[in-house]
Amino acid sequence: MSLTRLKGGILYDPTHSVNGERRDLYVRDGRVVADPASASAVTVDHEYDATGMIVMAGGIDLHSHIGGGKTNLSRLLLPEDHRSDPVRDSAYEGVQDSAGRYLRLPSCGVCTPGTLATGYRYAEMGYTAAFEPAMMPSNARHTHLEMGDTPIIDHGAYVMLGNDELFLQMLAARDHFERLRDYVGWTLCASKALGVKVVNPGGISAFKFNQRSLDVDEAHVHYGITPREVLRTLSRALTELRVPHPLHVHASNLGVPGNIDSTIATMDAADGLPIHLTHIQFHSYGVEGPRKFSSGARAIADAVNARPNVSIDVGQIIFGQTVTASGDTMMQFKNAPLSTPRKWIVGDIECDAGCGIVPFRYREQSYVNALQWIIGLEIFLLVDDPWRVSMTTDHPNGGPFTSYPHLIRLLMDKTFRDEQLAKLHPEAQVASALPELKRELSLYEIAIITRAGPARLLGLKDRGHLGAGAAADIAVYRDEPDRERMFTSPAYVFKDGQLVARDGTLVATPTGGIHYVSPDFDRGIEKTLRAYSDANLVGNFAHAAISDDEICGCCRGGKLLPVACFANP
């Protein structure tokens, strides 16, 4: 029952409307506790001087590709990225604890770091949770094993639906909605997922039938269903299952000029139910100007502002080498000729979904890449409600998650933003509304888009804030004018009350927990699932569902962190 005090910090806790208040913070047994009535009468076992420092909850990345088959394929496709990792040497040297054990085991990579490096780098910059957004049901065990090998941070995953053959067959046959809903519920429980992700609704399946595009109201060439029907069905299913996180949508026509129309149509396909559009920068392109490629950021921001049921993450691009890894095989096949270096992978597993891996380098002097960079920043600055915008780079698709401190500086410092804009392709600068946007995000708003907002969107009631009872996931930053430097190397990072990093150096590597939901559903759906599995799939249906004991083992004994579904009205 030891008590820890962080003394004199300046707290930013948007969940409780705390905006830069100087106060002490107390932690006991891994939880934030209320300020003791008389601190002088209470024995403080550990104290950290945070005088004048910025104190926030640990960062939460709600969309980062950190586990599963496509992540491993990304690592395998770019061995040169791991060989040339600038922190590789220090990683091999390691950091020892008092017993002489290495805390930082060898792991490397910049575009897609190894599992160990992923945990290290998140923790070192003050993040304590990250969520894999594209877990295939048939690959769920491997995804959990991969995330379980990632130290320190909590994790979870969204299971992919909407392109799987059984779902499409049931939808095309106009099966009862309740059976589709129960199928969604079973899949969530069986794969120990936190939510549902749909990628290019119906489009991955259509690609297998040689269809090369599928707009929101365009019929699937084989099943005859439309993406709108997929979106409406899944949104309604999650709402009735009371799953906290809205349907996580990778919309149709990723990267296609003029896709703003289909993006707004995707928002409306939910019929007012909660819906989350991910990496929306890639879906915000117009066709104005001589190059027929322009920013649709204002139209997208206006649409989000007008629809309170819609939340987004941005998918900001960062200049430099990366690798794009997506379940959208239709678009990745189309992008393959643009690969840098010239190699790529497209694959599929059990007709669940697919994946496409294409290395890519974003260049400042590319008109298209420059405008993509501009569009992402415009969206951040034009959406009014920061609670419905989360900071992402769609790691690694837009750039590595380690670029978040740089992105924060761009959002908080207009002068720095203008300096970076001046380096870009001149035609992109002219086509941009960015110089007109005077807004600079505050520390309070940064705390929302990187912590409080993602926690609320995921239903993590004890994360993303500093109130009594919250998990003591805490980041303490020195208040430096250079916000990039500030957010790169926190003075202290605590995970469940344990100090894990000090000034960018690891001091402990605990095991994170697994967040997942367990909605109620009619188990009668298992008869249909078993029959489909026996007729079409390789695996034994008896082993399809992951048990609590197994998931704990998959994740190296990580704590099971069930997320409560919404109560019935």
Side-chain angles (χ1 to χ4, degrees):
M1 296 286 289
S2 64
L3 183 69
T4 298
R5 175 167 62 192
L6 274 66
K7 184 178 179 180
I10 302 172
L11 272 60
Y12 287 85
D13 181 9
T15 300
H16 298 100
S17 302
V18 176
N19 187 2
E21 295 181 17
R22 186 184 298 274
R23 64 169 74 164
D24 294 349
L25 192 67
Y26 293 85
V27 173
R28 178 180 281 122
D29 296 332
R31 295 276 164 177
V32 176
V33 295
D35 191 341
S38 173
S40 60
V42 174
T43 300
V44 175
D45 301 281
H46 306 283
E47 182 169 280
Y48 297 89
D49 186 3
T51 302
M53 298 182 188
I54 305 302
V55 181
M56 297 180 178
I60 298 173
D61 193 344
L62 64 60
H63 186 107
S64 180
H65 295 281
I66 58 171
K70 68 189 173 313
T71 304
N72 250 350
L73 287 173
S74 301
R75 294 171 180 139
L76 291 168
L77 193 63
L78 287 180
E80 60 270 34
D81 172 56
H82 294 259
R83 287 195 297 268
S84 63
D85 184 350
V87 300
R88 182 172 183 263
D89 292 337
S90 62
Y92 273 100
E93 289 171 6
V95 178
Q96 292 182 338
D97 64 9
S98 59
R101 293 170 299 195
Y102 282 102
L103 297 180
R104 188 169 216 203
L105 298 174
S107 187
C108 52
V110 175
C111 303
T112 48
T115 52
L116 301 177
T118 295
Y120 301 155
R121 293 175 193 172
Y122 264 122
E124 287 164 354
M125 66 180 192
Y127 272 69
T128 53
F131 295 89
E132 164 57 52
M135 173 175 68
M136 289 192 286
S138 59
N139 200 31
R141 279 182 174 80
H142 174 241
T143 303
H144 283 295
L145 283 164
E146 192 103 19
M147 293 187 297
D149 200 46
T150 303
I152 308 172
I153 60 172
D154 290 345
H155 52 268
Y158 320 137
V159 66
M160 291 176 68
L161 288 172
N163 281 285
D164 45 309
E165 294 301 305
L166 180 55
F167 176 87
L168 294 176
Q169 287 175 17
M170 294 171 70
L171 189 62
R174 306 303 170 193
D175 213 333
H176 293 297
F177 166 76
E178 289 76 15
R179 284 170 46 76
L180 283 156
R181 179 198 61 204
D182 292 336
Y183 172 42
V184 172
W186 180 89
T187 305
L188 280 162
C189 290
S191 60
K192 287 292 187 289
L194 182 60
V196 169
K197 165 85 170 291
V198 59
V199 175
N200 189 356
I204 301 174
S205 171
F207 176 72
K208 301 170 192 175
F209 294 92
N210 209 32
Q211 202 164 352
R212 291 297 180 258
S213 65
L214 190 64
D215 212 343
V216 178
D217 290 302
E218 185 178 357
H220 187 296
V221 68
H222 179 74
Y223 287 111
I225 54 89
T226 66
R228 184 181 297 274
E229 293 175 276
V230 173
L231 292 163
R232 183 183 291 121
T233 302
L234 290 174
S235 295
R236 182 183 168 192
L238 290 174
T239 301
E240 293 198 7
L241 291 167
R242 323 301 285 174
V243 173
H245 187 47
L247 179 62
H248 199 92
V249 181
H250 165 136
S252 308
N253 299 318
L254 178 142
V256 177
N259 61 12
I260 53 174
D261 293 334
S262 59
T263 301
I264 295 172
T266 296
M267 297 179 192
D268 292 335
D271 289 339
L273 296 176
I275 187 169
H276 180 90
L277 273 70
T278 191
H279 45 64
I280 201 167
Q281 175 276 134
F282 290 106
H283 306 270
S284 302
Y285 304 152
V287 291
E288 305 299 321
R291 293 177 178 262
K292 303 301 181 185
F293 184 79
S294 61
S295 171
R298 191 171 294 277
I300 293 298
D302 288 347
V304 173
N305 290 335
R307 293 164 174 79
N309 63 305
V310 174
S311 59
I312 62 171
D313 62 78
V314 173
Q316 177 68 37
I317 76 147
I318 301 295
F319 296 113
Q321 180 68 50
T322 192
V323 56
T324 63
S326 174
D328 197 339
T329 47
M330 179 183 281
M331 289 303 158
Q332 290 295 74
F333 179 77
K334 186 179 294 185
N335 291 333
L338 303 176
S339 60
T340 306
R342 296 301 300 273
K343 48 186 174 179
W344 53 277
I345 299 171
V346 168
D348 179 87
I349 298 177
E350 292 279 40
C351 293
D352 262 344
C355 71
I357 316 298
V358 180
F360 192 79
R361 177 179 291 275
Y362 292 103
R363 297 178 293 112
E364 292 177 334
Q365 292 307 308
S366 160
Y367 171 81
V368 170
N369 296 164
L371 202 56
Q372 289 177 302
W373 181 88
I374 288 165
I375 290 167
L377 295 176
E378 288 176 336
I379 292 170
F380 272 118
L381 300 170
L382 288 169
V383 173
D384 296 333
D385 182 4
W387 287 96
R388 293 191 287 126
V389 183
S390 293
M391 176 177 289
T392 65
T393 58
D394 186 19
H395 167 82
N397 293 295
F401 65 80
T402 48
S403 59
Y404 287 162
H406 177 73
L407 179 51
I408 289 172
R409 185 179 180 189
L410 288 169
L411 295 172
M412 295 189 72
D413 186 342
K414 176 170 169 50
T415 299
F416 178 68
R417 193 162 67 227
D418 289 344
E419 290 171 355
Q420 300 308 300
L421 178 63
K423 299 177 182 179
L424 306 186
H425 191 289
E427 290 181 50
Q429 295 180 46
V430 173
S432 171
L434 196 57
E436 304 164 16
L437 301 178
K438 309 298 183 186
R439 183 180 178 187
E440 294 177 322
L441 297 194
S442 65
L443 284 169
Y444 188 78
E445 290 172 312
I446 293 297
I448 294 173
I449 68 174
T450 60
R451 286 141 166 96
R456 178 182 291 183
L457 284 168
L458 295 172
L460 310 182
K461 294 183 179 180
D462 65 345
R463 314 282 153 157
H465 68 89
L466 300 172
D473 295 349
I474 304 165
V476 182
Y477 301 94
R478 292 183 174 82
D479 190 3
E480 300 188 38
D482 183 340
R483 299 306 193 188
E484 182 172 352
R485 179 176 174 180
M486 169 181 164
F487 281 96
T488 296
S489 186
Y492 307 109
V493 180
F494 299 86
K495 180 73 188 79
D496 294 317
Q498 180 180 6
L499 182 67
V500 295
R502 186 197 297 263
D503 294 318
T505 299
L506 291 177
V507 297
T509 56
T511 301
I514 311 102
H515 296 275
Y516 62 96
V517 292
S518 298
D520 292 329
F521 64 94
D522 183 351
R523 291 197 172 273
I525 193 65
E526 291 182 349
K527 181 178 180 180
T528 299
L529 291 165
R530 183 182 296 277
Y532 177 83
S533 175
D534 290 347
N536 298 286
L537 304 183
V538 173
N540 186 333
F541 182 75
H543 305 304
I546 305 173
S547 68
D548 285 357
D549 289 345
E550 186 180 359
I551 193 68
C552 192
C554 278
C555 294
R556 297 178 178 264
K559 290 181 294 184
L560 300 180
L561 301 169
V563 175
C565 291
F566 292 132
N568 289 318

